[in-house]
Amino acid sequence: MSETAKNTPEDLQDVNAAEETASEDVAAEATGAESEEVVIEDPIAALQAEVAELKDRLLRQAAEVENTRRRAKKDVEDAGNYAITKFARDLLDVGDNLRRALDAAGDTSQADPAMKTLFEGVEMTEQALQKALEKNGIEKLEPLGEKLDPNHHQAVFELPHPEYPDGHVAQVMQAGYVLKGRLLRPAMVGVTKNPAGSNPSKDDTPGGNVDTSA
């Protein structure tokens, strides 16, 4: 008998098992190849995501640096513009005293020459002080007749006034000042509060619109 005829069923089962094992090995190798391809693609995607994240982080840090630079520049400008704030407030007191002296002197037309000379000297000193303040960006506020502005005016009392509607400045007790747009001292004012029925219209106030159509 030939060797093929001598194969038993058990031998055939071993052969079949060997073939199945070989097939499984081939399938495993194919699957492994696919896995290797996936492993190769994943690092690229991860690197792209990392690059995008780093780019976003870099842009954010650049924006923060720019904001910091702008804030520092503004701080330097403010320090230069408003460094004289305290000194300027002290000078305002000097100006107030000069104005009080001039107001107290009243009419000096009949005064003796020495008094007139003193009055003129005080007046010239006040004018020189005002020019020095203006030269350094300090503007005087005299809001007579204007509508009350809480940002620049401090109302200290109310009074009736036939020429101004309610809520307007009818008297300036103390002039206000601003330093390059920033309030240095509010103007102390009296505000109109007219009795009911006697409030003039806005067009009747000084500087108001006048109807010329008639």
Side-chain angles (χ1 to χ4, degrees):
M1 294 179 68
S2 64
E3 292 180 358
T4 305
K6 292 181 181 180
N7 290 337
T8 63
E10 290 77 4
D11 294 334
L12 294 175
Q13 289 179 355
D14 292 339
V15 172
N16 291 334
E19 292 177 353
E20 290 177 358
T21 301
S23 299
E24 291 175 356
D25 292 341
V26 172
E29 290 178 358
T31 303
E34 293 177 358
S35 300
E36 289 179 359
E37 291 179 358
V38 172
V39 171
I40 292 174
E41 291 177 358
D42 284 345
I44 295 176
L47 287 174
Q48 290 176 342
E50 185 176 356
V51 169
E53 182 181 356
L54 291 174
K55 182 178 179 180
D56 181 70
R57 187 182 303 174
L58 180 62
L59 291 175
R60 290 177 183 273
Q61 290 178 349
E64 290 178 1
V65 170
E66 180 63 19
N67 291 335
T68 301
R69 186 189 67 80
R70 290 179 180 176
R71 285 195 298 268
K73 182 179 179 181
K74 186 177 184 303
D75 290 341
V76 171
E77 291 177 352
D78 289 346
N81 290 332
Y82 307 116
I84 64 170
T85 297
K86 186 178 183 304
F87 178 67
R89 288 197 178 106
D90 293 337
L91 286 182
L92 297 185
D93 293 335
V94 176
D96 292 340
N97 290 332
L98 292 174
R99 174 43 51 186
R100 292 188 187 101
L102 293 173
D103 293 340
D107 185 12
T108 60
S109 59
Q110 303 300 324
D112 58 79
M115 180 59 70
K116 287 184 179 179
T117 302
L118 176 61
F119 180 86
E120 291 173 358
V122 174
E123 190 174 34
M124 291 176 62
T125 302
E126 186 201 29
Q127 292 173 356
L129 176 61
Q130 291 298 326
K131 289 181 180 179
L133 294 175
E134 292 174 1
K135 185 177 180 181
N136 287 276
I138 301 173
E139 181 183 355
K140 189 176 184 180
L141 300 177
E142 291 183 308
L144 183 64
E146 297 179 4
K147 187 175 182 180
L148 180 69
D149 181 2
N151 295 320
H152 294 91
H153 312 149
Q154 181 179 350
V156 294
F157 61 89
E158 294 179 338
L159 74 160
H161 200 293
E163 295 183 0
Y164 304 109
D166 289 352
H168 282 62
V169 177
Q171 186 174 348
V172 179
M173 302 297 295
Q174 186 181 70
Y177 290 86
V178 292
L179 172 59
K180 295 184 178 180
R182 178 183 293 183
L183 184 65
L184 190 61
R185 187 183 73 182
M188 298 179 66
V189 301
V191 183
T192 305
K193 181 67 174 179
N194 290 307
S198 62
N199 193 18
S201 65
K202 186 176 181 180
D203 292 342
D204 294 334
T205 61
N209 296 325
V210 179
D211 186 2
T212 59
S213 60

